[in-house]
Amino acid sequence: FPGVVQSRIPPEQSDILGVESQHGTAADALTKAFLKNSLPHMKDEDVEEMMLRKAVVLEYKRPMKKKGKTRKAKGLNAKERRQLKIFQLKPEHQKYDLFLPLHELWKQYIVDLCNGLKPGSNPQMIQQKLLKADFHGAVLTVVRSKCPSYVGLTGILVQELKHVFKIITKEDKLKVIPKRNSVFSVEIGDFVTHIYGSKFELRSSERSAKKFKIKGTIDL
Amino acid sequence: MSPELEKCPRSLLVCEKSNFLNEKSRHDFHVSKHNFNYKISVLMPECGMLPANISTVINSFSHYYLVRALPVHELLEETFLESLVKKGHFYALSYNTKIDEDNSIALLSSGQLILSLDKDTYEQLGLEGRPSLYNHGKAMRLVVTLDLTDKSLSPGSKRYQRVLSSLKDRLPLRYDFFFTKYNTGADEEKTLNKLLSQYSYEEHKPAVSHQTLKEIPCPTLYPSDIQGKTLSCDPHHFLEWLGAVNLDISCENAADSFLSTYVCPEPQSSVSQALLCTVTGFISPENVFALLKELRQYFDEPRFTPWVSLTVHGFMDSPVSWGATEHRFLKGGENFYNFVCFKNQDYWLHMATGAQDGCPP
């Protein structure tokens, strides 16, 4: 076998290590025996063939692609949202007229959703569709409420949060109305819908997936 | 307390004794505070015919009007407010509205408009009020009190606009009303007539009826003993007997009669005749006060009887009893008061209310 497999230990180190290197033929014989034991039991030619082809690259290894957990775009949590104030309308934006085009868009959306609002359409069908509809841009009116000062407020819905409606009235005032214990009415073409706020306390995104059960009469 | 007593709804009786000539006497206060009077009955023992002065006063009682389907917002209308409501002496009460079922509206002479509403009406109307004092748990009845003489409700203010728009547009309430006024001038007449001409109304005079009762036992009453300990009879028994006389219930307690076991309370004396005069209608407190004055003058001449009595009943379905004290109907909606006038201008005043009532003043 070519190549250096053994060499003599320098004498200083042999003192430290406490071993004596063997010389000459004894060393050769020992080396040969050791190698024979270590190598797999194959013919010499096979072993050489195995070794010839493969270059074992020790230093330049390709870095393994770290898979990791694929992180979804987490979005901001509520604290960050509040800090960025993305949901707060600046006073110069609080004008009723600015939201009128939104209302027009919403009307179009609803008409499309209900396959054209014909006077003869079935109210039940429309109701089913409205349960899953989005109300941003609708004109809401508070019709009944346990707290009488909310009754009569009318405006365009700017934001629907989990427990409140934020509407902007004709006097350019942004009003926050809690959904609970109130009944809202929405006018769509010739139809008027009453929304019982207490049952609507869901985020608009979650409402589209919720099944509403019919439970008796609703008293505020 | 025994279990039977606990089931019985309570009633309140307040007895006051004083003299008409006493300057601290509060008889005028009590009379004027009881805004809505339905029936007045006068009992005069040992008297055959109604004295002239009393019959004159009774005949001069002011007329009352019954207006059909009047919208409530008319009571808030500007000229009406200025001329009638703010000057006082104007009373309005909704007719045929049961206090425990429907909404009931009352306008007092102090200018307060009281709306006693059920829950649905209150939630739809949008005016702030407070829950009734006699709800048990769930707020089924709510009372809205509006002081029409208050500056915040002067025509043109925001609050006035809101109240008016609530009553006009949001929830137009219409009821039949009783109106009565006392001694108002020509302007007020004009305004009232203008309002009345827009709706169908009837003008009524209070109905008067006389009855002379013969040979009835009468309790003896001494002015000093109002509690009925020694000289007079107990006030409860006295009022019970008075009610029996008014309703023509026999108080003999005959052994074979199963209908009535009422008896005239002891001590009693038999009188040969007694006069019972009843006036029914929507009567203003000022008229009651005038009648009381005439009744006091009955004793200017020597009379056989030591006392006469005047009973004034309020409406069962009125939302208030005295002043703005809330009144409700549990098993009876009585709120009445009774004067017993004596020779020396002493008087007794009994004021009684039912279960769901505040204590009379």
Side-chain angles (χ1 to χ4, degrees):
Chain A
F1 248 41
V4 178
V5 181
Q6 40 100 285
S7 73
R8 304 191 111 204
I9 306 175
E12 311 83 49
Q13 286 187 354
S14 73
D15 289 333
I16 300 169
L17 289 173
V19 287
E20 249 188 62
S21 55
Q22 290 173 323
H23 303 286
T25 46
D28 286 330
L30 180 66
T31 316
K32 274 204 180 98
F34 178 69
L35 284 174
K36 204 166 182 192
N37 277 341
S38 327
L39 288 174
H41 291 272
M42 277 193 294
K43 288 202 189 122
D44 283 341
E45 298 86 34
D46 291 328
V47 173
E48 232 187 276
E49 205 203 294
M50 220 173 77
M51 289 299 293
L52 214 68
R53 275 267 174 112
K54 301 203 176 131
V56 181
V57 175
L58 286 171
E59 278 181 9
Y60 296 98
K61 210 170 108 173
R62 206 188 290 172
M64 275 212 347
K65 222 193 247 174
K66 273 208 197 111
K67 273 214 181 135
K69 294 180 194 151
T70 45
R71 282 211 195 138
K72 283 186 259 182
K74 217 173 182 185
L76 313 159
N77 55 7
K79 198 167 166 189
E80 289 157 12
R81 262 188 259 164
R82 233 177 284 143
Q83 282 176 345
L84 286 179
K85 297 191 204 232
I86 38 177
F87 279 145
Q88 276 187 356
L89 290 182
K90 296 198 197 62
E92 57 266 16
H93 294 162
Q94 283 178 14
K95 294 265 186 288
Y96 187 75
D97 309 318
L98 289 175
F99 289 95
L100 279 173
L102 175 65
H103 179 55
E104 298 299 319
L105 274 175
W106 182 83
K107 278 205 279 209
Q108 272 300 310
Y109 154 68
I110 286 291
V111 167
D112 290 335
L113 185 66
C114 304
N115 305 324
L117 273 183
K118 297 179 280 282
S121 349
N122 186 9
Q124 285 297 334
M125 280 299 303
I126 298 189
Q127 217 172 3
Q128 292 300 322
K129 298 241 170 85
L130 281 179
L131 278 177
K132 310 208 182 269
D134 181 25
F135 284 98
H136 286 89
V139 169
L140 287 187
T141 310
V142 184
V143 161
R144 273 175 70 146
S145 175
K146 243 187 181 162
C147 172
S149 46
Y150 287 131
V151 178
L153 288 177
T154 312
I156 295 184
L157 180 67
V158 170
Q159 228 183 334
E160 184 181 338
L161 306 181
K162 189 167 181 199
H163 292 291
V164 294
F165 279 135
K166 285 199 185 171
I167 67 171
I168 182 154
T169 60
K170 277 210 175 99
E171 285 91 29
D172 297 339
K173 285 218 175 115
L174 190 71
K175 298 264 183 196
V176 179
I177 308 178
K179 287 183 189 171
R180 203 178 289 199
N181 295 331
S182 292
V183 177
F184 301 89
S185 89
V186 185
E187 231 184 71
I188 309 163
D190 298 324
F191 290 89
V192 169
T193 296
H194 289 274
I195 302 178
Y196 283 81
S198 317
K199 310 284 176 193
F200 241 54
E201 289 193 298
L202 297 160
R203 283 191 219 129
S204 47
S205 40
E206 294 169 0
R207 206 189 339 126
S208 51
K210 176 169 159 104
K211 254 194 226 163
F212 282 91
K213 296 185 204 147
I214 302 174
K215 271 188 200 168
T217 51
I218 311 175
D219 191 25
L220 285 182
Chain B
M1 200 150 70
S2 68
E4 290 87 28
L5 269 180
E6 277 170 28
K7 279 188 229 158
C8 222
R10 60 126 167 130
S11 59
L12 289 170
L13 178 64
V14 173
C15 307
E16 229 177 62
K17 151 166 88 95
S18 176
N19 192 306
F20 284 119
L21 303 169
N22 190 345
E23 54 213 19
K24 284 199 210 154
S25 163
R26 288 172 40 133
H27 61 276
D28 47 355
F29 174 76
H30 290 308
V31 169
S32 61
K33 274 287 172 184
H34 196 250
N35 277 279
F36 304 113
N37 308 300
Y38 163 64
K39 181 164 138 178
I40 303 179
S41 41
V42 181
L43 180 68
M44 300 162 85
E46 302 282 8
C47 179
M49 228 181 57
L50 198 60
N53 60 342
I54 295 185
S55 67
T56 332
V57 137
I58 288 182
N59 288 332
S60 71
F61 274 1
S62 21
H63 295 195
Y64 62 97
Y65 303 91
L66 174 59
V67 190
R68 301 275 178 195
L70 177 77
V72 181
H73 69 84
E74 291 283 357
L75 294 174
L76 284 162
E77 204 255 301
E78 211 169 318
T79 44
F80 192 81
L81 264 185
E82 287 304 316
S83 58
L84 281 161
V85 175
K86 293 210 175 144
K87 299 226 175 104
H89 301 300
F90 183 78
Y91 306 88
L93 183 65
S94 60
Y95 169 65
N96 217 9
T97 54
K98 307 228 183 312
I99 186 75
D100 48 352
E101 288 176 7
D102 318 312
N103 307 317
S104 195
I105 324 277
L107 179 63
L108 311 179
S109 85
S110 60
Q112 285 182 314
L113 182 66
I114 312 256
L115 303 144
S116 175
L117 308 169
D118 58 30
K119 193 156 153 298
D120 292 325
T121 318
Y122 176 76
E123 281 168 0
Q124 287 173 329
L125 190 62
L127 297 175
E128 280 91 8
R130 53 160 188 78
S132 156
L133 297 167
Y134 306 106
N135 285 321
H136 297 290
K138 209 165 178 211
M140 296 309 284
R141 190 142 208 102
L142 298 119
V143 178
V144 178
T145 311
L146 301 166
D147 190 359
L148 297 176
T149 55
D150 194 17
K151 268 202 303 263
S152 67
L153 272 176
S154 58
S157 66
K158 256 169 105 179
R159 186 150 173 249
Y160 177 80
Q161 285 300 107
R162 183 175 165 94
V163 172
L164 199 61
S165 67
S166 304
L167 286 169
K168 223 177 185 168
D169 310 316
R170 214 168 297 147
L171 195 65
L173 297 169
R174 295 171 89 98
Y175 292 104
D176 299 341
F177 274 94
F178 275 130
F179 279 172
T180 187
K181 55 178 175 50
Y182 182 75
N183 257 4
T184 47
D187 285 340
E188 290 96 11
E189 293 272 354
K190 221 169 60 181
T191 331
L192 186 61
N193 286 334
K194 198 164 134 231
L195 173 67
L196 291 175
S197 58
Q198 298 169 17
Y199 303 96
S200 75
Y201 73 99
E202 299 142 22
E203 188 170 340
H204 295 278
K205 220 170 121 53
V208 188
S209 76
H210 309 268
Q211 207 185 352
T212 313
L213 310 159
K214 304 272 181 210
E215 299 293 341
I216 55 161
C218 243
T220 42
L221 306 169
Y222 279 95
S224 47
D225 183 21
I226 187 171
Q227 282 172 326
K229 295 234 171 85
T230 45
L231 299 165
S232 327
C233 56
D234 179 44
H236 287 279
H237 290 132
F238 170 62
L239 289 172
E240 211 175 64
W241 172 83
L242 203 59
V245 165
N246 265 293
L247 294 169
D248 207 13
I249 299 175
S250 82
C251 288
E252 276 132 47
N253 198 13
D256 55 350
S257 154
F258 292 101
L259 283 173
S260 148
T261 55
Y262 285 117
V263 276
C264 183
E266 294 293 329
Q268 58 170 279
S269 62
S270 183
V271 294
S272 52
Q273 55 181 357
L275 182 67
L276 177 68
C277 177
T278 322
V279 187
T280 330
F282 185 65
I283 303 162
S284 67
E286 291 94 352
N287 288 333
V288 176
F289 194 64
L291 178 59
L292 186 63
K293 230 165 69 165
E294 294 300 322
L295 214 54
R296 282 163 55 188
Q297 290 175 6
Y298 179 72
F299 286 114
D300 289 345
E301 298 171 10
R303 303 281 178 186
F304 284 121
T305 175
W307 57 267
V308 290
S309 118
L310 168 74
T311 317
V312 180
H313 292 268
F315 284 86
M316 276 197 313
D317 287 317
S318 110
V320 293
S321 54
W322 270 271
T325 324
E326 197 185 338
H327 165 76
R328 293 267 307 265
F329 189 106
L330 183 61
K331 284 192 186 169
E334 64 266 11
N335 53 340
F336 67 90
Y337 59 94
N338 179 46
F339 273 101
V340 182
C341 311
F342 294 98
K343 260 189 219 164
N344 49 356
Q345 297 291 313
D346 272 349
Y347 72 88
W348 287 358
L349 175 59
H350 306 284
M351 293 182 280
T353 54
Q356 290 185 339
D357 256 303
C359 192

